[in-house]
Amino acid sequence: MERVRFAPSPTGHLHIGGARTALFNYLYAKRTGGKFIVRIEDTDLNRSTTESEKVIIDSLKWFGINWDEGIEVGGPDEPYRSTERNFIYEPYVKKLIDEGKAYYCYCSEEEIEKERQESLSKGETYKYSGKCRNLTEEERKKLEEKGIKPVVRFRVPDNEPIIIDDAVRGRVEFNTNDIGDFIIVKSDGIPVYNFAVVVDDHLMKITTVIRGEEHLSNTPRQILIYKALGFDIPKFAHVSLILGKDRTKMSKRHGSTWVEQYEQAGYLPEALINFLALLGWSPEGDEEIFTLEELCEKFSLERVAKNPAVFDIDKLNHINGIYIRKSPIERIVDLSIPHLIKAGYITEEFAKDNRQYVTLLVSTFREKISHISEIVNHAAVLFGDEVKIENEEAAEVLKQEHVVSLLDELYAIVNEAEKLDNEFIQNMFKELKNRTGAKGKALFMPVRVALTGQVHGAELVNIIELLGKDNVLKRIEYTKKNLL
RNA sequence: GGUCCUAUGGUCUAGUGGUUAGGACGCCGCCCUCUCACGGCGGUAACAGGGGUUCGAAUCCCCUUAGGACUACCA
């Protein structure tokens, strides 16, 4: 059975690229009937925080992909946080040292840094000198007595090819000559990520490692560890990076890079999933809109592209718009309410007491939005007492001769109304047409502009209903007084 | 600098030796319509360059160029 995992380090938010990696892992597990595991790789004590871990897990949950084993849900390989697994790593480190495959190194960071700078200035690739490779017991004791806390380095063999048969990249070859003896345990006694992953993946019986391409260069080091420990080497699948508009690795500079931010902007998780699935993977036919379940059936590593992908917000918007229009209106209403409240257009109580009104508002504008927060821009037209003429075109509309009488008649009709509902408004336009002779554009546009100041907008009948009798009357008065 | 990865329209991609190079986003036009949006229809636009291999290359090989990742007691 296939077993895959997503192993984020809790040093920030869930990056959009991380979300895609998690998704691919999830889809692969579902497709193959395997298990998906989530484990927290918090070996970096300086950068890892519990807040970050929470944020990442919350984002993962919102994203809608659940895991079979791992953090929070538990499983046969607890604990799922590497800082709590230190006792597990220790014997493996000891084994490597005992077998001479790893050794203690007492070089100070300053020393190493100096060496690095030197080789860099000479234009050479830096590799650890191997100074501490063959320290005698005697020498070690002396250094220990000085109170130096050593790191543990892996003894990298000479001139050995390392071949990765990558599921997406094909055969990739490295040579150990390009790798210096690297650190596997830091001086604080915590193993480094490269070591912890290997032990964790082995113990958790991970069969396929699907992760970002940035890990490809580290894979030979990990393979060395697998071999030294006598572990089976899993399959690897390195997925290309997601790039920003300028074709560099997507980062804060490129706008929203965390899934949290997309949640806040009002993107739907299914839409983000659909979009991210298409970023680097392609289905067989021409269809592009898929539910999670459909993706689970269709996904395969063979169809994952090798080339990096630029994150295209326009396409995300398009897909999200489709999902917004497809969703039950109630859901979109629920999602819209916080944005409308935040904009100050409604209160929580109002939303509770006037569900019908808010539903009409949302269904009036949802055709026009690509993410929920945009509804605020469109709803703006309903609030405030003044009518602001948006442009010359709108001003022109009001200059037409028949506008004054049209607005007078409109006022009269509305004034007599008890309540402006859809049916009444429909009839109102018929009556207006009868009384003034204006029809089509000449009928609707002046009303639209007089009431909203805009020449474009959503369904006028709905706008009028949403405005309500009092506001309509107020706005007609305002327009007649100030804009004619 | 070194190692590695990548290269089809502006963007995401299909394509695995013979296709009018297909789809999607965007953009443009038309239809629908009071308008915008939605929707429908149509259009614009690509094989980075140079060498090979082959009867025949987007497809296989090499070089160049361009981009990217890694090169930490980060992941």
Side-chain angles (χ1 to χ4, degrees), chain A residues 291-308:
Chain A
T291 62
L292 223 205
E293 291 67 37
E294 288 170 324
L295 288 171
C296 289
E297 287 166 25
K298 292 175 186 295
F299 185 81
S300 75
L301 289 175
E302 289 73 52
R303 295 190 69 83
V304 172
K306 298 177 200 235
N307 45 318

PDB file of all heavy atoms in Angstrom, chain A residues 291-308:
ATOM      1  N   THR A 291     -14.372  18.451  -9.050  1.00  0.00           N
ATOM      2  CA  THR A 291     -14.525  18.385  -7.605  1.00  0.00           C
ATOM      3  C   THR A 291     -13.336  17.615  -7.051  1.00  0.00           C
ATOM      4  O   THR A 291     -12.603  16.961  -7.794  1.00  0.00           O
ATOM      5  CB  THR A 291     -15.797  17.604  -7.222  1.00  0.00           C
ATOM      6  OG1 THR A 291     -15.654  16.267  -7.715  1.00  0.00           O
ATOM      7  CG2 THR A 291     -17.041  18.238  -7.819  1.00  0.00           C
ATOM      8  N   LEU A 292     -13.150  17.705  -5.754  1.00  0.00           N
ATOM      9  CA  LEU A 292     -12.064  16.972  -5.093  1.00  0.00           C
ATOM     10  C   LEU A 292     -12.171  15.478  -5.417  1.00  0.00           C
ATOM     11  O   LEU A 292     -11.176  14.817  -5.688  1.00  0.00           O
ATOM     12  CB  LEU A 292     -12.168  17.162  -3.586  1.00  0.00           C
ATOM     13  CG  LEU A 292     -10.907  17.439  -2.764  1.00  0.00           C
ATOM     14  CD1 LEU A 292     -11.088  17.000  -1.338  1.00  0.00           C
ATOM     15  CD2 LEU A 292      -9.646  16.839  -3.365  1.00  0.00           C
ATOM     16  N   GLU A 293     -13.383  14.959  -5.381  1.00  0.00           N
ATOM     17  CA  GLU A 293     -13.594  13.529  -5.633  1.00  0.00           C
ATOM     18  C   GLU A 293     -13.140  13.163  -7.042  1.00  0.00           C
ATOM     19  O   GLU A 293     -12.480  12.152  -7.262  1.00  0.00           O
ATOM     20  CB  GLU A 293     -15.082  13.164  -5.467  1.00  0.00           C
ATOM     21  CG  GLU A 293     -15.600  13.243  -4.034  1.00  0.00           C
ATOM     22  CD  GLU A 293     -15.638  14.679  -3.493  1.00  0.00           C
ATOM     23  OE1 GLU A 293     -15.951  15.614  -4.268  1.00  0.00           O
ATOM     24  OE2 GLU A 293     -15.340  14.876  -2.298  1.00  0.00           O
ATOM     25  N   GLU A 294     -13.492  14.011  -7.996  1.00  0.00           N
ATOM     26  CA  GLU A 294     -13.080  13.751  -9.380  1.00  0.00           C
ATOM     27  C   GLU A 294     -11.561  13.792  -9.511  1.00  0.00           C
ATOM     28  O   GLU A 294     -10.959  12.977 -10.209  1.00  0.00           O
ATOM     29  CB  GLU A 294     -13.729  14.772 -10.323  1.00  0.00           C
ATOM     30  CG  GLU A 294     -15.212  14.548 -10.497  1.00  0.00           C
ATOM     31  CD  GLU A 294     -15.903  15.694 -11.222  1.00  0.00           C
ATOM     32  OE1 GLU A 294     -15.513  16.865 -11.017  1.00  0.00           O
ATOM     33  OE2 GLU A 294     -16.834  15.425 -11.990  1.00  0.00           O
ATOM     34  N   LEU A 295     -10.954  14.769  -8.820  1.00  0.00           N
ATOM     35  CA  LEU A 295      -9.496  14.866  -8.869  1.00  0.00           C
ATOM     36  C   LEU A 295      -8.864  13.600  -8.295  1.00  0.00           C
ATOM     37  O   LEU A 295      -7.861  13.102  -8.810  1.00  0.00           O
ATOM     38  CB  LEU A 295      -9.026  16.097  -8.098  1.00  0.00           C
ATOM     39  CG  LEU A 295      -9.315  17.446  -8.760  1.00  0.00           C
ATOM     40  CD1 LEU A 295      -9.002  18.585  -7.803  1.00  0.00           C
ATOM     41  CD2 LEU A 295      -8.519  17.606 -10.045  1.00  0.00           C
ATOM     42  N   CYS A 296      -9.461  13.091  -7.236  1.00  0.00           N
ATOM     43  CA  CYS A 296      -8.938  11.880  -6.612  1.00  0.00           C
ATOM     44  C   CYS A 296      -8.940  10.709  -7.594  1.00  0.00           C
ATOM     45  O   CYS A 296      -8.057   9.851  -7.562  1.00  0.00           O
ATOM     46  CB  CYS A 296      -9.774  11.498  -5.387  1.00  0.00           C
ATOM     47  SG  CYS A 296      -9.545  12.605  -3.982  1.00  0.00           S
ATOM     48  N   GLU A 297      -9.934  10.689  -8.471  1.00  0.00           N
ATOM     49  CA  GLU A 297     -10.006   9.601  -9.442  1.00  0.00           C
ATOM     50  C   GLU A 297      -9.020   9.787 -10.583  1.00  0.00           C
ATOM     51  O   GLU A 297      -8.516   8.824 -11.145  1.00  0.00           O
ATOM     52  CB  GLU A 297     -11.413   9.526 -10.047  1.00  0.00           C
ATOM     53  CG  GLU A 297     -12.462   8.966  -9.101  1.00  0.00           C
ATOM     54  CD  GLU A 297     -13.868   9.234  -9.632  1.00  0.00           C
ATOM     55  OE1 GLU A 297     -14.020   9.388 -10.865  1.00  0.00           O
ATOM     56  OE2 GLU A 297     -14.793   9.308  -8.802  1.00  0.00           O
ATOM     57  N   LYS A 298      -8.778  11.040 -10.946  1.00  0.00           N
ATOM     58  CA  LYS A 298      -8.018  11.299 -12.160  1.00  0.00           C
ATOM     59  C   LYS A 298      -6.520  11.488 -11.953  1.00  0.00           C
ATOM     60  O   LYS A 298      -5.723  11.290 -12.862  1.00  0.00           O
ATOM     61  CB  LYS A 298      -8.559  12.569 -12.844  1.00  0.00           C
ATOM     62  CG  LYS A 298      -9.958  12.399 -13.403  1.00  0.00           C
ATOM     63  CD  LYS A 298     -10.485  13.722 -13.943  1.00  0.00           C
ATOM     64  CE  LYS A 298     -11.940  13.607 -14.366  1.00  0.00           C
ATOM     65  NZ  LYS A 298     -12.096  12.684 -15.496  1.00  0.00           N
ATOM     66  N   PHE A 299      -6.133  11.900 -10.743  1.00  0.00           N
ATOM     67  CA  PHE A 299      -4.752  12.305 -10.528  1.00  0.00           C
ATOM     68  C   PHE A 299      -3.732  11.196 -10.788  1.00  0.00           C
ATOM     69  O   PHE A 299      -3.943  10.030 -10.462  1.00  0.00           O
ATOM     70  CB  PHE A 299      -4.575  12.801  -9.098  1.00  0.00           C
ATOM     71  CG  PHE A 299      -3.205  13.340  -8.833  1.00  0.00           C
ATOM     72  CD1 PHE A 299      -2.871  14.631  -9.220  1.00  0.00           C
ATOM     73  CD2 PHE A 299      -2.234  12.555  -8.228  1.00  0.00           C
ATOM     74  CE1 PHE A 299      -1.598  15.127  -8.997  1.00  0.00           C
ATOM     75  CE2 PHE A 299      -0.949  13.052  -7.998  1.00  0.00           C
ATOM     76  CZ  PHE A 299      -0.636  14.335  -8.384  1.00  0.00           C
ATOM     77  N   SER A 300      -2.625  11.577 -11.394  1.00  0.00           N
ATOM     78  CA  SER A 300      -1.511  10.641 -11.499  1.00  0.00           C
ATOM     79  C   SER A 300      -0.208  11.415 -11.602  1.00  0.00           C
ATOM     80  O   SER A 300      -0.160  12.504 -12.170  1.00  0.00           O
ATOM     81  CB  SER A 300      -1.671   9.740 -12.724  1.00  0.00           C
ATOM     82  OG  SER A 300      -1.372  10.459 -13.900  1.00  0.00           O
ATOM     83  N   LEU A 301       0.841  10.846 -11.034  1.00  0.00           N
ATOM     84  CA  LEU A 301       2.144  11.507 -11.067  1.00  0.00           C
ATOM     85  C   LEU A 301       2.697  11.602 -12.478  1.00  0.00           C
ATOM     86  O   LEU A 301       3.473  12.493 -12.796  1.00  0.00           O
ATOM     87  CB  LEU A 301       3.136  10.756 -10.163  1.00  0.00           C
ATOM     88  CG  LEU A 301       2.906  10.880  -8.661  1.00  0.00           C
ATOM     89  CD1 LEU A 301       3.886  10.000  -7.902  1.00  0.00           C
ATOM     90  CD2 LEU A 301       3.039  12.328  -8.208  1.00  0.00           C
ATOM     91  N   GLU A 302       2.279  10.669 -13.327  1.00  0.00           N
ATOM     92  CA  GLU A 302       2.776  10.676 -14.709  1.00  0.00           C
ATOM     93  C   GLU A 302       2.395  11.968 -15.432  1.00  0.00           C
ATOM     94  O   GLU A 302       3.078  12.393 -16.345  1.00  0.00           O
ATOM     95  CB  GLU A 302       2.208   9.491 -15.509  1.00  0.00           C
ATOM     96  CG  GLU A 302       2.757   8.133 -15.133  1.00  0.00           C
ATOM     97  CD  GLU A 302       2.217   7.649 -13.789  1.00  0.00           C
ATOM     98  OE1 GLU A 302       0.986   7.663 -13.622  1.00  0.00           O
ATOM     99  OE2 GLU A 302       3.011   7.290 -12.909  1.00  0.00           O
ATOM    100  N   ARG A 303       1.275  12.542 -15.027  1.00  0.00           N
ATOM    101  CA  ARG A 303       0.820  13.736 -15.720  1.00  0.00           C
ATOM    102  C   ARG A 303       1.208  15.026 -15.001  1.00  0.00           C
ATOM    103  O   ARG A 303       0.649  16.094 -15.255  1.00  0.00           O
ATOM    104  CB  ARG A 303      -0.679  13.669 -15.971  1.00  0.00           C
ATOM    105  CG  ARG A 303      -1.053  12.525 -16.938  1.00  0.00           C
ATOM    106  CD  ARG A 303      -2.483  12.600 -17.383  1.00  0.00           C
ATOM    107  NE  ARG A 303      -2.742  13.739 -18.250  1.00  0.00           N
ATOM    108  CZ  ARG A 303      -2.500  13.743 -19.558  1.00  0.00           C
ATOM    109  NH1 ARG A 303      -2.017  12.686 -20.177  1.00  0.00           N
ATOM    110  NH2 ARG A 303      -2.756  14.821 -20.258  1.00  0.00           N
ATOM    111  N   VAL A 304       2.175  14.928 -14.107  1.00  0.00           N
ATOM    112  CA  VAL A 304       2.683  16.132 -13.451  1.00  0.00           C
ATOM    113  C   VAL A 304       3.796  16.713 -14.320  1.00  0.00           C
ATOM    114  O   VAL A 304       4.697  15.997 -14.736  1.00  0.00           O
ATOM    115  CB  VAL A 304       3.220  15.814 -12.040  1.00  0.00           C
ATOM    116  CG1 VAL A 304       3.935  17.029 -11.446  1.00  0.00           C
ATOM    117  CG2 VAL A 304       2.070  15.392 -11.127  1.00  0.00           C
ATOM    118  N   ALA A 305       3.698  17.993 -14.604  1.00  0.00           N
ATOM    119  CA  ALA A 305       4.655  18.646 -15.497  1.00  0.00           C
ATOM    120  C   ALA A 305       5.984  18.898 -14.796  1.00  0.00           C
ATOM    121  O   ALA A 305       6.046  19.067 -13.588  1.00  0.00           O
ATOM    122  CB  ALA A 305       4.073  19.947 -16.004  1.00  0.00           C
ATOM    123  N   LYS A 306       7.048  18.909 -15.590  1.00  0.00           N
ATOM    124  CA  LYS A 306       8.380  19.144 -15.032  1.00  0.00           C
ATOM    125  C   LYS A 306       8.697  20.623 -14.894  1.00  0.00           C
ATOM    126  O   LYS A 306       9.529  21.015 -14.087  1.00  0.00           O
ATOM    127  CB  LYS A 306       9.455  18.579 -15.973  1.00  0.00           C
ATOM    128  CG  LYS A 306       9.408  17.108 -16.215  1.00  0.00           C
ATOM    129  CD  LYS A 306      10.505  16.786 -17.229  1.00  0.00           C
ATOM    130  CE  LYS A 306      10.249  15.480 -17.906  1.00  0.00           C
ATOM    131  NZ  LYS A 306      11.315  14.511 -17.824  1.00  0.00           N
ATOM    132  N   ASN A 307       8.072  21.416 -15.718  1.00  0.00           N
ATOM    133  CA  ASN A 307       8.454  22.829 -15.717  1.00  0.00           C
ATOM    134  C   ASN A 307       7.733  23.615 -14.639  1.00  0.00           C
ATOM    135  O   ASN A 307       6.607  23.328 -14.282  1.00  0.00           O
ATOM    136  CB  ASN A 307       8.214  23.455 -17.082  1.00  0.00           C
ATOM    137  CG  ASN A 307       6.866  23.060 -17.640  1.00  0.00           C
ATOM    138  OD1 ASN A 307       6.468  21.904 -17.532  1.00  0.00           O
ATOM    139  ND2 ASN A 307       6.165  23.994 -18.196  1.00  0.00           N
ATOM    140  N   PRO A 308       8.410  24.632 -14.116  1.00  0.00           N
ATOM    141  CA  PRO A 308       7.789  25.449 -13.082  1.00  0.00           C
ATOM    142  C   PRO A 308       6.584  26.209 -13.631  1.00  0.00           C
ATOM    143  O   PRO A 308       6.497  26.464 -14.825  1.00  0.00           O
ATOM    144  CB  PRO A 308       8.898  26.404 -12.661  1.00  0.00           C
ATOM    145  CG  PRO A 308       9.899  26.364 -13.754  1.00  0.00           C
ATOM    146  CD  PRO A 308       9.773  25.043 -14.413  1.00  0.00           C
TER     147      PRO A 308
END
